[in-house]
Amino acid sequence: MEPIQAVAVRASQTGACIGIPDVTTGELTHFIEQFTIKDGKVIELGLFYNNAGALVDKPKVV
């Protein structure tokens, strides 16, 4: 499965739906990145987890 599952663009707003596997369980973690673009540069970035509960109480791997 490709990490980027969908992309939406409207004027200066861009959003990407991403799914990446958890390194310990292999379970997909889904999130959306939202970008605001001005003059060809990203000026704002938002990160929104769909299932943040899946990340709670798991060991952190760096």
Side-chain angles (χ1 to χ4, degrees), residues 1-61:
M1 172 182 281
E2 295 294 321
I4 299 176
Q5 298 170 351
V7 175
V9 178
R10 183 180 70 181
S12 64
Q13 301 291 315
T14 303
C17 180
I18 301 169
I20 57 172
D22 183 292
V23 294
T24 56
T25 66
E27 179 184 346
L28 277 182
T29 299
H30 294 98
F31 59 93
I32 294 174
E33 288 184 329
Q34 180 270 323
F35 302 94
T36 301
I37 300 171
K38 183 176 182 181
D39 298 326
K41 298 178 182 175
V42 175
I43 61 169
E44 184 178 30
L45 169 69
L47 181 64
F48 307 93
Y49 280 99
N50 179 44
N51 57 345
L55 302 175
V56 177
D57 294 331
K58 288 194 177 174
K60 306 299 184 251
V61 178

